[in-house]
Amino acid sequence: MSQLQARFFTENKRYVVDDVPFSIPADSEVQDLSNVINKLLEAKNASHSKVDFDFLVRGQFLRTSLSTHMETEGISTEDVVEIEYVERITAPEPEECMKHDDWISSVDADAEWILTGSYDKTSRIWSVEGKAVMTVAGHTDVVKDVAWVKRDGLTSLLLTASLDQTILLWEWNSERNKVKARHCCRGHTGSVDTVATDPTGSKFCSGSWDKMLKIWSAVPTDEADEVEEPADRPRKKQKTQQLGLTRTPLMTLSGHNEAVSSVLWSDSEEICSASWDHTIRMWDVETGEMKTTLTGTKVFNCISYSPLCRRLASGSTDRHIRLWDPRTKDGSLVLLSLTSHTGWVTAVKWAPSHEHQLVSGSLDNLVKLWDTRSCKAPLYDLAAHEDKVFCVDWTESGLMLSGGADNKLYTYRYSACQTDAGA
């Protein structure tokens, strides 16, 4: 049986082995190599308990025998092959399934509660265990996005953005389980498709089909703002009593030429927005000026930023997920493309505690878990949904979530491997 010379390395300080070449069988597969690493670790530390490892050769996960992988990738078997090993992640399994009466457009989860938005015009609050706690009803049309603002003891503030062109700021008391609309945020002239809270919970940003971004105060007050109505426009009689006091934006950011599909705060001074105009733009919150433009060739549906790896991930109508450096001087440079979906990528979200992991959702009904060190194929395909996927998220505790056109929100339990940064 032919042998290969291999050197093993890892970023995880807990599992380092000696930096010397080892002779291993060429037909070794993942489990064989995992046994080798565990034996080496046991030799160094008798109390070592077995860990399952995954292996990367030249940035691709090993999914065949070593010799087949090297042949496919065109790697010489004469030289010492460098093999990186990482803790293996078990396949995430669907745990809970929560139902709305129509498509689920959006989800925002934190440590305690899950917030969803739906085409049934409501938003719902769920426990992490999947129990329906509260239905938040007030919009006159589809809810397109939701976001938690902040939690102060038993009181939470949350946002719901709608096709009815408004954003409602709600106050929810979890002990009494009562919800109240505090402000109705008016100013957009098209569907409000995306909303994001700043890191301090004092402001939020919205993006709309009217091509505009608007920044608003997220602090509830007992005062209503005056809305400037054009003088020549007949006053429409409101069919229903408005919920909450009127609030107008602090600032409007204009520059996109088509609908704004996704917004986020990369930090408290900078907003990042994605649009159907094939661009992603960075904005200075203080001045309202555009700082950088990243230019693609297709419509952007979604973006996510990871403070751990300082990378921006985008999902587009051409099925690709792309990774960008938002600090780049070259706005058209894509660092990496992740290609496996067969439909529009509608949702993408970085893992909160792992710099290499992200989850994506698509109109192809699939949710995919990726490790960006290996971009040719996802770690796992999660095929729980029977219809299009519209939104994905993570909780800090290692739950993944996805919602879609089958009116279902799934949670997936997942063994979170911490990075060294998080460990």
Side-chain angles (χ1 to χ4, degrees):
M1 188 193 300
S2 63
Q3 299 274 317
L4 286 170
Q5 295 291 305
R7 183 184 271 114
F8 295 101
F9 69 97
T10 185
E11 289 176 10
N12 195 325
K13 309 283 187 289
R14 285 174 297 180
Y15 302 126
V16 173
V17 298
D18 293 339
D19 185 15
V20 293
F22 295 94
S23 188
I24 53 172
D27 62 357
S28 297
E29 296 194 359
V30 170
Q31 201 49 57
D32 307 314
L33 295 180
S34 195
N35 293 339
V36 169
I37 297 293
N38 276 291
K39 284 207 173 74
L40 292 168
L41 291 169
E42 275 166 28
K44 286 177 73 172
N45 175 9
S47 63
H48 168 75
S49 49
K50 187 172 175 293
V51 177
D52 284 329
F53 291 104
D54 244 333
F55 297 85
L56 292 132
V57 183
R58 291 246 184 111
Q60 295 302 327
F61 278 105
L62 187 64
R63 290 294 178 257
T64 56
S65 70
L66 199 48
S67 52
T68 306
H69 182 94
M70 289 170 72
E71 197 179 316
T72 310
E73 296 291 321
I75 304 167
S76 165
T77 51
E78 301 301 310
D79 306 324
V80 176
V81 56
E82 302 277 338
I83 303 177
E84 182 178 2
Y85 55 103
V86 296
E87 258 187 278
R88 187 183 313 157
I89 289 151
T90 52
E93 292 292 330
E95 279 210 335
E96 303 298 337
C97 175
M98 293 155 255
K99 288 201 74 167
H100 265 275
D101 300 331
D102 206 335
W103 294 3
I104 295 177
S105 63
S106 45
V107 59
D108 187 22
D110 62 16
E112 275 181 279
W113 308 103
I114 298 164
L115 180 61
T116 53
S118 169
Y119 277 60
D120 65 14
K121 305 181 187 175
T122 73
S123 167
R124 283 191 187 158
I125 299 168
W126 314 79
S127 70
V128 177
E129 296 73 43
K131 188 169 151 285
V133 177
M134 167 62 77
T135 298
V136 184
H139 284 289
T140 56
D141 214 327
V142 168
V143 174
K144 296 301 295 282
D145 202 10
V146 293
W148 291 109
V149 177
K150 68 192 316 186
R151 182 158 304 134
D152 195 1
L154 300 168
T155 305
S156 303
L157 293 174
L158 57 118
L159 295 164
T160 55
S162 169
L163 190 62
D164 67 14
Q165 306 184 3
T166 70
I167 305 129
L168 289 169
L169 173 63
W170 304 84
E171 190 173 273
W172 173 57
N173 181 299
S174 56
E175 189 178 43
R176 298 204 312 274
N177 201 19
K178 289 272 189 287
V179 71
K180 181 187 178 190
R182 294 294 307 265
H183 291 281
C184 179
C185 305
R186 296 181 172 278
H188 281 297
T189 57
S191 171
V192 188
D193 277 17
T194 173
V195 67
T197 310
D198 86 331
T200 66
S202 61
K203 291 195 196 86
F204 70 92
C205 181
S206 58
S208 163
W209 270 84
D210 66 12
K211 309 174 191 175
M212 299 298 167
L213 296 161
K214 291 182 188 286
I215 300 172
W216 317 72
S217 165
V219 182
T221 63
D222 293 324
E223 283 159 35
D225 296 339
E226 285 292 315
V227 176
E228 289 176 33
E229 295 280 352
D232 56 350
R233 208 165 91 193
R235 286 299 298 264
K236 269 201 305 200
K237 265 199 149 157
Q238 280 201 328
K239 292 192 203 81
T240 51
Q241 188 61 39
Q242 174 180 306
L243 284 166
L245 299 166
T246 299
R247 174 158 286 182
T248 55
L250 303 170
M251 186 187 283
T252 297
L253 310 177
S254 66
H256 281 297
N257 306 316
E258 293 291 341
V260 178
S261 54
S262 188
V263 296
L264 58 82
W265 299 72
S266 43
D267 57 41
S268 53
E269 272 86 53
E270 185 180 77
I271 285 168
C272 180
S273 61
S275 166
W276 282 45
D277 67 8
H278 304 186
T279 69
I280 295 168
R281 300 177 191 230
M282 314 288 165
W283 308 80
D284 184 308
V285 174
E286 199 61 40
T287 63
E289 284 172 23
M290 204 185 325
K291 300 205 297 197
T292 318
T293 302
L294 306 176
T295 309
T297 56
K298 288 285 184 293
V299 162
F300 288 112
N301 294 319
C302 51
I303 46 173
S304 176
Y305 178 71
S306 168
L308 297 176
C309 66
R310 298 193 181 87
R311 293 284 177 267
L312 195 67
S314 68
S316 286
T317 53
D318 64 357
R319 316 185 318 279
H320 302 296
I321 297 157
R322 293 179 177 84
L323 304 192
W324 310 75
D325 177 0
R327 308 276 165 267
T328 182
K329 293 286 173 276
D330 179 358
S332 59
L333 182 68
V334 176
L335 300 174
L336 205 61
S337 290
L338 309 176
T339 308
S340 168
H341 281 296
T342 56
W344 287 23
V345 180
T346 49
V348 62
K349 212 46 162 296
W350 285 101
S353 57
H354 197 304
E355 63 178 314
H356 298 296
Q357 277 174 24
L358 60 93
V359 64
S360 61
S362 164
L363 299 188
D364 64 11
N365 303 4
L366 290 175
V367 173
K368 290 176 188 275
L369 175 62
W370 299 85
D371 185 306
T372 57
R373 289 169 294 196
S374 185
C375 58
K376 286 188 179 170
L379 280 179
Y380 295 107
D381 280 354
L382 311 178
H385 287 283
E386 294 138 26
D387 206 336
K388 301 179 281 288
V389 178
F390 294 136
C391 54
V392 294
D393 201 12
W394 301 79
T395 68
E396 293 288 342
S397 60
L399 268 186
M400 286 163 51
L401 305 106
S402 63
D406 54 5
N407 308 354
K408 290 174 182 168
L409 181 85
Y410 283 101
T411 62
Y412 309 82
R413 178 59 59 192
Y414 148 88
S415 67
C417 296
Q418 301 291 315
T419 52
D420 286 343

